[in-house]
Amino acid sequence: MISDRLKSVIRDIPDFPKPGIIFKDVTPIFKDAQLCTEVTEAFIEQLKGTPVDVVAGIESRGFLFGLMLANRLGVPFVPVRKPGKLPFSIVKKAYELEYGSASIEIHTDAFEPGSRVLIHDDLLATGGTAEAAGELVTELGGIVAGFAFVINLDFLKGKERLRAFSDNIITLTDY
Ligand code: AMP
């Protein structure tokens, strides 16, 4: 089962990047090419019946499976980035996260209005980042087709914040 396969390689790093945070290190997943394929296929399986026009991946770990997934779906990938990284015109959203505050940006021509956008990141914690991404997508006239995360920190109740955008919240392993 994909959840067990993922749990067997994801590493807990205590007190990173701040005291009290248990950081879920996903880098071992990327060392296993077969597991990367299984992760992508698990997303594809759960996306059956969900039309997706664009995958939006959140910087930076959301770029990795984000592009794999978009490519597998045969749709464009667009990056949602930290401030000051995107070179073209942007829309920006500030938000709170588990350890601090931040903002994210997306290119104004990332997709056409009316596009069904799947938002992807490696991990769902409080949901603040993905919620901000949902707001950016909506601001550009997109429709949030759903969310796809490798990991869900269920005790932080991030899913509850995202339901305003879509009930279609895919997570492959929960803690
Ligand atoms: P949040 O906005 O609280 O849902 O936080 C999600 C974002 O922060 C994602 O981009 C994650 O990669 C990162 N993140 C938050 N908490 C953790 C954690 N415990 N381990 C690894 N990454 C985390």
Side-chain angles (χ1 to χ4, degrees):
M1 194 184 162
I2 190 72
S3 175
D4 297 334
R5 294 262 288 130
L6 285 165
K7 281 205 168 83
S8 72
V9 300
I10 292 165
R11 275 191 299 220
D12 279 0
I13 312 288
D15 300 321
F16 183 90
K18 283 186 178 178
I21 301 291
I22 299 173
F23 191 84
K24 296 288 181 197
D25 179 16
V26 293
T27 59
I29 301 172
F30 306 123
K31 291 167 77 179
D32 184 336
Q34 174 62 30
L35 182 55
C36 288
T37 302
E38 286 174 36
V39 165
T40 308
E41 292 308 316
F43 282 135
I44 294 292
E45 181 65 29
Q46 295 199 44
L47 283 166
K48 275 192 181 142
T50 303
V52 174
D53 300 315
V54 181
V55 175
I58 300 173
E59 183 166 356
S60 55
R61 290 182 297 275
F63 292 170
L64 301 161
F65 284 117
L67 182 59
M68 277 187 80
L69 190 52
N71 202 263
R72 175 68 175 75
L73 288 166
V75 301
F77 171 82
V78 298
V80 176
R81 296 210 65 177
K82 290 168 184 163
K85 304 281 187 185
L86 287 171
F88 189 63
S89 69
I90 52 114
V91 283
K92 181 183 186 129
K93 188 83 207 165
Y95 66 99
E96 301 297 314
L97 44 69
E98 197 186 357
Y99 39 84
S101 66
S103 57
I104 51 170
E105 302 177 349
I106 191 167
H107 272 157
T108 51
D109 69 345
F111 50 81
E112 294 299 315
S115 298
R116 292 160 297 193
V117 182
L118 178 76
I119 295 170
H120 165 71
D121 203 353
D122 67 325
L123 182 145
L124 174 63
T126 65
T129 313
E131 183 182 40
E135 282 165 4
L136 288 180
V137 165
T138 307
E139 199 175 321
L140 286 182
I143 298 152
V144 178
F147 296 89
F149 304 93
V150 179
I151 301 168
N152 174 31
L153 302 185
D154 203 45
F155 55 93
L156 292 173
K157 309 248 177 282
K159 282 188 180 180
E160 287 173 17
R161 287 174 78 165
L162 303 183
R163 289 211 173 91
F165 295 98
S166 174
D167 281 330
N168 192 9
I169 306 167
I170 299 167
T171 62
L172 300 185
T173 190
D174 288 12
Y175 290 88

